[in-house]
Amino acid sequence: MARKTAKVSFVFFLALAAIISGMVFTYLKEDASFLYLMLLLAALLMTPYAVLKAVQKPEERNKKGSQNGLSTITQKRMNVVYQDEDISLLDVNRQFIFITAESFNNPQGLPPLLDNFAKKIVELTHADGVLSVVLDDFEDILNVKNLYGTFIPPYKLPDNIPHKQQRVEMNMRYMQFPLTDNIFGEVLTSNVPVMINEPSKDSRIVQNGDEDFLKCGAYIFVPMYVNDSPVGVLSLGKLPENGPFTEAEFDTAKRLGEFVSASIKATSIHNEIVERFSLAKEGEIATKIQKSLIPAKLPAIPGISIGTVFNPAENICGDYYDVMVSRKDRISFVMSDVTGKSLNSMNVMLQLRAMLRLIINTTQSAGTILTWANRGIASENNTADHFASVALLIYDSVNNKVQYASGGTNPIFLYKKAENSLEEISGKQEPVGVEKNTEYTDNEVSVSSGDIIVTCTDGVLEALNGDGTQYSKTNLERLIKESHSLDGKAIANKIKDDVKKFCGSAAQHDDQSLLVIKIK
């Protein structure tokens, strides 16, 4: 009995420490927000044990001699039993809490925490691989946060991904999934765990090829929720030669998913607190550097008019744009959004800007320039979550052509005056800095008087209003069509005002940068 009390005491004192630290900070800083977050963290730490202790009482009676049917069922619920081995889920949960507490001091955040969880999950369920996807805080997108072991992709691979094991694995590590048209989104939305032992008979599982490393085996998908709030999906996979999952392994996976979801939520809250204070220290330095990279004055270029918007969010450092005039047939424009925050992303930004400015003055094409810059960033950037979305345009005013290449999420739009139409002309390629061997595609389009080229970072299109609705391409297209007769600067200002009006008093969570190029 004393041993069980010690288990609960550990969680109790951890939660108590969180509350006391919140009270002390609130007293010193006169800011109750930190106390609120600490109370929420304490609640999340105590909830799993409260539930388990509520279920544990019948089991304790069973150990004292009661052999009725109810106590037998309860004991099966409390323990994982297979291969003559009885593993207490209370012990597993205690291990998960220790791992979570230790992760609070890990600057890498969630990925290493999930990696430790995945090792235990593989041990208890005999899975060959685990894929953890987590719901984005600001939009309905599931992001891959951890890939452990061998997990065969059950979704359709992008057409531009070659069927090579290393490239497929790299793609999986950076995938994003909407909440529709894929097994992950369906499981999270329905909040129903799924075990699929015959993937060839299930339309939700996509077989991508005949290669051995793409052949689908058995899967388990567990939705992760905390107090009816969605967190993500825990996905387990087995290779075809290792057979199906058992009902016992399925039940174990479901219970482990509950532990993992609580830990993810607690870690996210802790990371948010730490990030808030670290950004406050580094934000001022990074913001000053970021603003120094933005051209103080745009060059006067015959034949075009240029308009820009640069609206940095507080303590966020990621966007920059550039305009470089080499000669009449080579006027270069860059729009970039570096992931991450503060000085780490600033380091990548400085490297990228220096490389582009060096290479752009050569005769190389836009795709080749991005390819070369990517090799430099990917080899120097050892932090996997720091890379950049880049749109590069090279305008030839002699032949009225625009050559362009892009990687990541920065879109390039072309408004054709003759058709009064707006089209997104950029394709989808990996961001700069993800994969060293990525080759970026060259594209070219002819332009005429009155045509407009617009590129921006996702902070513009994904700007939210008070209802949580994004500004979107639809509003951008409407405004460009309404303002197409104005010069580039006036169009940019119109867009800036429209985004501000759309958002109202809603908080801005990302830099907003925009570049408008109008052909005279």
Side-chain angles (χ1 to χ4, degrees), residues 69-81:
L70 177 60
S71 62
T72 302
I73 294 173
T74 303
Q75 185 169 359
K76 289 181 179 179
R77 291 177 60 199
M78 288 300 301
N79 297 338
V80 183
V81 183

Side-chain angles (χ1 to χ4, degrees), residues 12 15 29 38 74-75 91 128 140 145 158 220 243 247 272 286-287 291 293 300 332 358 364 394 415 489 495 498 519:
F12 173 78
K29 299 293 184 179
M38 287 293 96
T74 303
Q75 185 169 359
D91 289 335
D128 290 303
D140 294 336
K145 290 297 184 181
I220 289 176
E247 288 294 334
E272 180 183 342
T287 300
K291 289 182 178 179
L293 300 181
S332 304
L358 179 65
Q364 299 300 322
I394 300 176
Y415 171 79
K489 182 177 181 180
I495 296 172
D498 195 55
I519 312 301

Side-chain angles (χ1 to χ4, degrees), residues 162-437:
H163 285 195
K164 296 181 180 180
Q165 190 166 358
Q166 185 178 4
R167 291 299 303 276
V168 170
E169 181 178 323
M170 179 64 70
N171 170 262
M172 198 160 21
R173 290 184 183 277
Y174 295 100
M175 273 299 294
Q176 294 181 323
F177 302 99
L179 297 186
T180 57
D181 301 326
N182 65 85
I183 184 67
F184 306 105
E186 179 180 324
V187 168
L188 185 66
T189 303
S190 65
N191 195 14
V192 177
V194 174
M195 180 169 67
I196 301 174
N197 280 328
E198 296 183 273
S200 61
K201 297 181 180 180
D202 197 307
S203 60
R204 295 170 295 182
I205 303 299
V206 178
Q207 179 63 56
N208 286 288
D210 297 328
E211 296 88 347
D212 288 340
F213 70 90
L214 289 177
K215 290 181 180 178
C216 297
Y219 292 98
I220 289 176
F221 301 94
V222 179
M224 296 188 291
Y225 279 74
V226 172
N227 297 330
D228 296 325
S229 176
V231 174
V233 177
L234 181 67
S235 309
L236 287 66
K238 276 190 177 183
L239 297 175
E241 58 267 26
N242 291 336
F245 283 105
T246 66
E247 288 294 334
E249 291 165 347
F250 186 34
D251 188 60
T252 301
K254 289 186 284 187
R255 306 204 180 283
L256 292 176
E258 296 173 3
F259 299 159
V260 175
S261 58
S263 295
I264 290 176
K265 196 68 175 179
T267 303
S268 298
I269 293 173
H270 174 268
N271 290 345
E272 180 183 342
I273 296 168
V274 173
E275 184 178 55
R276 178 182 299 179
F277 292 104
S278 64
L279 285 176
K281 295 177 181 178
E282 297 182 353
E284 291 185 8
I285 299 173
T287 300
K288 288 179 181 179
I289 299 174
Q290 181 186 24
K291 289 182 178 179
S292 71
L293 300 181
I294 305 300
K297 183 178 180 181
L298 294 175
I301 304 173
I304 62 174
S305 61
I306 306 171
T308 62
V309 171
F310 178 61
N311 185 22
E314 183 180 1
N315 288 334
I316 303 294
C317 180
D319 291 4
Y320 93 92
Y321 63 84
D322 209 349
V323 180
M324 292 157 283
V325 181
S326 301
R327 51 184 185 270
K328 289 183 179 180
D329 63 345
R330 195 173 180 85
I331 304 165
S332 304
F333 303 88
V334 177
M335 178 61 70
S336 178
D337 181 3
V338 180
T339 61
K341 298 179 177 68
S342 288
L343 297 181
N344 286 329
S345 60
M346 177 57 62
N347 181 44
V348 176
M349 184 186 296
L350 289 169
Q351 292 180 47
L352 179 62
R353 181 177 181 270
M355 290 180 186
L356 289 177
R357 281 190 159 239
L358 179 65
I359 307 171
I360 276 174
N361 287 320
T362 68
T363 59
Q364 299 300 322
S365 65
T368 301
I369 291 172
L370 271 196
T371 300
W372 288 5
N374 173 70
R375 290 174 186 171
I377 296 296
S379 62
E380 295 296 331
N381 176 25
N382 295 320
T383 306
D385 63 344
H386 285 92
F387 46 86
S389 293
V390 182
L392 172 62
L393 304 100
I394 300 176
Y395 173 55
D396 181 352
S397 62
V398 177
N399 299 302
N400 290 325
K401 291 183 178 181
V402 176
Q403 187 184 89
Y404 62 93
S406 64
T409 59
N410 290 354
I412 302 174
F413 299 103
L414 173 62
Y415 171 79
K416 298 292 290 185
K417 179 183 178 182
E419 292 86 17
N420 190 32
S421 63
L422 183 76
E423 177 187 2
E424 183 175 352
I425 59 175
S426 52
K428 299 295 183 183
Q429 285 198 265
E430 290 179 340
V432 172
V434 172
E435 172 57 49
K436 186 175 182 179
N437 296 323

Side-chain angles (χ1 to χ4, degrees), residues 24-126:
V24 172
F25 181 87
T26 300
Y27 175 77
L28 295 175
K29 299 293 184 179
E30 298 182 353
D31 183 359
S33 60
F34 188 79
L35 176 60
Y36 170 77
L37 292 172
M38 287 293 96
L39 289 171
L40 182 57
L41 176 60
L44 288 170
L45 288 171
M46 291 297 294
T47 298
Y49 261 106
V51 174
L52 288 170
K53 290 300 288 181
V55 184
Q56 185 185 21
K57 292 178 182 178
E59 185 188 16
E60 292 174 351
R61 290 195 296 270
N62 181 52
K63 290 181 179 180
K64 291 179 181 179
S66 174
Q67 297 297 327
N68 59 62
L70 177 60
S71 62
T72 302
I73 294 173
T74 303
Q75 185 169 359
K76 289 181 179 179
R77 291 177 60 199
M78 288 300 301
N79 297 338
V80 183
V81 183
Y82 48 78
Q83 295 184 349
D84 298 326
E85 185 178 6
D86 187 356
I87 303 172
S88 170
L89 288 184
L90 280 174
D91 289 335
V92 175
N93 191 31
R94 182 179 66 169
Q95 293 176 33
F96 276 27
I97 290 176
F98 273 118
I99 294 172
T100 303
E102 290 174 354
S103 75
F104 289 167
N105 293 323
N106 192 326
Q108 297 181 21
L110 200 56
L113 172 68
L114 294 176
D115 205 55
N116 285 325
F117 286 162
K119 293 176 184 177
K120 194 66 180 178
I121 292 168
V122 165
E123 175 188 335
L124 296 176
T125 64
H126 305 129

